[in-house]
Amino acid sequence: MANDPIHQFHIQRLFPIEVGGLDLSFTNSSLFMVATVAAASVFLIFATGGRGLVPTRMQSIAEMAYEFVAGMLRSSAGTEGMRFFPLVFSLFMFVLVANLFGMFPYFFTVTSHIIVTFVLSMIVILTVTIYGFMRHGARFLNLFVPAGVPAALIPIVAPIEVISFLSRPVSLSVRLFANMLAGHITLKVFAGFVVSLGAMGGIGVAGAILPLGMTVALTGLEFLVAFLQAYVFTVLTCMYLNDAIHPSH
Amino acid sequence: MASQSNSNTEGTHEVIDVPATEHGAGFPPFDSATFASQILWLAITFGLFYWIMKNVAVPRIAGILEDREDRIAGDMAEANRLKQETDAAIAAYEQALAEARNKAHGIASETRAKLKADNEARRVSAEAEIAAKVSAAETQIAEHKSGAMEKIEEIATETTSALIERLLGKAPTKTDLTKALKTALN
């Protein structure tokens, strides 16, 4: 059971809640969502509590996170994009903290479930679509007609653009989900090799050194992936928001 | 991967809180029975998180960064102002220095010109004086010379007359003597 690499993704009910036949239980996933939000909020609020002109270390980390996301958003969506800053910053912090929480042994990785990443990416896509239509009306559809394309090619290009637009929430959510899932499975599999080889005695213990080294290296890699995927998710969000603000390419 | 893990899961677990029977997929991320709960709790937690970020964390960090930027901009402006003051003071000092130098230069050249003019005037007057003295002396010399010549003639006449009287015993006539002396002296 301990060696089952899928076990870590199981959802367990902690407080069963059922409304109209719909299972809305507070699960381990919900617990870690709460933990993620609590940790990120508490950190950001307490770190900036001093409002120091010269930042403390913690405040400096909070400021770095802010400026990192602000820089991303400003460079891809311009100053106008800054109106979406609270959303983009929330997404970045939520995904980053959830990913990093997943790195603790026995912790549940919220972002390893496709429904979570899909909901997050739907928030992005719906924001883009609704804001795009609210601001530009039908001109938002220019998004599907790239400027400078000969009129004859528009019937071919426009459907491709529509498909690419529709596939955005899928690619956005699957990328994050698959990275977290695959990383955690790989880590668990290699760690499992260490245990099962170690149980075989002398030669097995010697042979277990290789997967142990792999596990250590993969742990490092997974920390990188945890950050990188939060970054990628945020960068793509910024680029999609840019489409809502400036629909004509 | 899903099918492989599927068999794996079923083999090792009998206790799964969420019933995985009706959808066939024992793979938890694809277990749609958990979707509603996850969506609900994600909406609650992420909504709360968004509210906290929008109303507390983001304005606060933005305020801190803005304060710092203002402070830095203020300090920079103050530094610039002080620098300009310093530059102005240096410029004023240099101008004063240049003026003083010009003035000194003017005074020096004026003095030099004055001295030169004085010397020149003195030299000219001295030269004039010398020239007058020279000419006076020259006239005197000429006078003396002519006087001397007359005296020489007189003496010569007297001497010659005396000599001839002694030699011949008889004094020559004045006209003859004068005539002869003139021939001899010239």
Side-chain angles (χ1 to χ4, degrees):
Chain A
M1 174 166 176
N3 275 346
D4 174 17
I6 303 301
H7 177 70
Q8 56 182 323
F9 303 113
H10 278 294
I11 292 199
Q12 278 131 17
R13 290 199 199 98
L14 301 178
F15 301 107
I17 303 169
E18 207 171 310
V19 178
L22 211 56
D23 182 10
L24 299 175
S25 307
F26 187 83
T27 61
N28 54 348
S29 168
S30 319
L31 177 68
F32 278 95
M33 287 176 194
V34 171
T36 298
V37 166
S41 307
V42 165
F43 172 74
L44 287 173
I45 287 168
F46 276 82
T48 57
R51 292 167 187 268
L53 195 63
V54 178
T56 58
R57 283 180 211 181
M58 289 295 136
Q59 187 182 324
S60 166
I61 293 171
E63 283 174 15
M64 270 165 66
Y66 181 99
E67 287 189 325
F68 180 65
V69 178
M72 251 191 277
L73 185 56
R74 203 176 287 125
S75 65
S76 42
T79 340
E80 276 182 90
M82 291 308 282
R83 69 174 64 218
F84 295 111
F85 182 74
L87 175 67
V88 178
F89 188 64
S90 305
L91 282 169
F92 175 73
M93 289 307 291
F94 186 86
V95 173
L96 178 67
V97 175
N99 288 354
L100 289 176
F101 260 33
M103 290 309 296
F104 285 93
Y106 299 107
F107 276 28
F108 182 83
T109 314
V110 172
T111 43
S112 67
H113 275 250
I114 182 111
I115 189 67
V116 172
T117 61
F118 185 73
V119 168
L120 291 176
S121 57
M122 279 315 285
I123 292 173
V124 173
I125 298 304
L126 288 178
T127 307
V128 168
T129 314
I130 293 169
Y131 180 79
F133 275 115
M134 260 170 54
R135 180 170 160 156
H136 301 285
R139 278 193 303 129
F140 182 60
L141 296 173
N142 282 348
L143 185 62
F144 304 122
V145 187
V149 171
L153 284 179
I154 285 176
I156 306 167
V157 172
I160 293 173
E161 291 284 329
V162 171
I163 291 166
S164 102
F165 185 82
L166 293 178
S167 64
R168 277 174 184 182
V170 178
S171 71
L172 196 57
S173 54
V174 168
R175 183 181 299 110
L176 176 57
F177 151 72
N179 265 287
M180 299 323 291
L181 184 84
H184 282 77
I185 290 176
T186 319
L187 205 49
K188 186 80 179 195
V189 166
F190 275 97
F193 285 161
V194 179
V195 176
S196 38
L197 280 171
M200 283 161 58
I203 301 164
V205 171
I209 291 170
L210 194 65
L212 179 65
M214 276 299 284
T215 310
V216 172
L218 279 171
T219 307
L221 180 71
E222 280 310 300
F223 273 107
L224 178 71
V225 168
F227 172 76
L228 206 63
Q229 287 307 316
Y231 171 72
V232 167
F233 193 93
T234 317
V235 156
L236 289 171
T237 301
C238 294
M239 285 166 65
Y240 297 159
L241 286 169
N242 182 45
D243 283 345
I245 299 163
H246 313 107
S248 44
H249 310 220
Chain B
M1 192 203 288
S3 66
Q4 186 196 352
S5 53
N6 190 6
S7 61
N8 205 348
T9 310
E10 280 170 0
T12 50
H13 289 272
E14 55 289 279
V15 195
I16 302 167
D17 281 331
V18 176
T21 45
E22 68 266 33
H23 24 82
F27 188 55
F30 294 145
D31 180 357
S32 62
T34 66
F35 284 3
S37 148
Q38 291 199 65
I39 291 171
L40 173 74
W41 287 101
L42 179 63
I44 293 170
T45 53
F46 190 75
L48 183 70
F49 188 60
Y50 177 72
W51 188 89
I52 294 170
M53 290 299 111
K54 191 182 163 73
N55 294 297
V56 185
V58 167
R60 188 184 283 189
I61 300 175
I64 291 170
L65 294 177
E66 208 169 291
D67 281 355
R68 184 174 307 145
E69 223 159 79
D70 286 354
R71 174 68 181 273
I72 289 170
D75 286 358
M76 288 302 279
E78 177 69 8
N80 263 336
R81 195 182 62 74
L82 290 175
K83 189 178 177 293
Q84 273 171 6
E85 260 175 33
T86 314
D87 285 352
I90 289 172
Y93 160 75
E94 274 185 351
Q95 202 189 335
L97 193 69
E99 265 169 25
R101 200 174 284 145
N102 275 344
K103 213 168 162 190
H105 207 74
I107 289 169
S109 60
E110 212 173 89
T111 313
R112 203 177 300 129
K114 202 169 143 202
L115 284 177
K116 206 171 163 191
D118 268 8
N119 279 348
E120 190 68 23
R122 228 177 290 159
R123 191 176 63 82
V124 167
S125 71
E127 267 175 8
E129 216 173 291
I130 290 165
K133 274 185 187 161
V134 166
S135 69
E138 268 172 2
T139 19
Q140 223 174 333
I141 287 166
E143 264 169 33
H144 282 251
K145 203 177 175 182
S146 66
M149 282 311 278
E150 268 167 34
K151 268 189 189 142
I152 285 169
E153 261 173 49
E154 218 179 276
I155 291 164
T157 320
E158 275 171 23
T159 314
T160 315
S161 154
L163 273 174
I164 291 168
E165 202 179 337
R166 185 80 56 90
L167 281 172
L168 300 175
K170 168 184 143 183
T173 58
K174 194 125 184 168
T175 28
D176 284 352
L177 197 58
T178 315
K179 204 174 169 186
L181 271 172
K182 256 192 186 137
T183 339
L185 280 172
N186 293 326

